[in-house]
Amino acid sequence: QVQLVESGGGLVQPGDSLRLSCAASGRSFSRGILAWFRQAPGKDREFVAAIRRSLGTTNYANSVKGRFTISKDRSKETVYLQMSALRPEDTAVYYCAGTGRTLILSTIAQSGEYEYWGQGTQVTVSS
């Protein structure tokens, strides 16, 4: 089994930056995808960003392009989400997700494609 644990959430003001971390344990694999999703109160779970574990190619939701950066460490055991120029609409619980399967581009943003999930970390952007 794979366990994912998020950390780094908090309360920040609009325009601030924050870095989220997701630590994986229990099983290591070089293939697959690690991703970030978020869910705001009363809203559906939304794709944020993804990174392919093999070569490190990335994908982003249009709403965060240019502001958020997803990255991983050399061991591929930890994935990060660097968030800049935060907006109130970024307020949500952020979840780390993973899959050992290769996903095509058309499905990489679908939450149902990921079999491993963390418990989430709260990010609140408010003045």
Side-chain angles (χ1 to χ4, degrees), residues 46-102:
E46 174 189 29
F47 172 78
V48 176
I51 185 167
R52 296 188 183 273
R53 301 187 70 186
S54 57
L55 296 178
T57 55
T58 58
N59 298 91
Y60 296 92
N62 289 334
S63 60
V64 305
K65 285 182 179 178
R67 299 189 299 120
F68 291 9
T69 301
I70 187 171
S71 62
K72 57 179 176 63
D73 65 12
R74 291 185 178 273
S75 69
K76 302 180 180 180
E77 298 293 336
T78 304
V79 63
Y80 305 95
L81 185 68
Q82 178 66 51
M83 305 182 293
S84 300
L86 284 163
R87 307 165 179 170
E89 52 263 44
D90 295 319
T91 296
V93 176
Y94 283 71
Y95 297 91
C96 182
T99 177
R101 297 175 287 110
T102 300

Side-chain angles (χ1 to χ4, degrees), residues 25-41:
S25 64
R27 182 181 177 182
S28 298
F29 48 90
S30 59
R31 298 183 63 184
I33 301 169
L34 292 170
W36 288 95
F37 290 77
R38 66 187 182 186
Q39 188 164 21

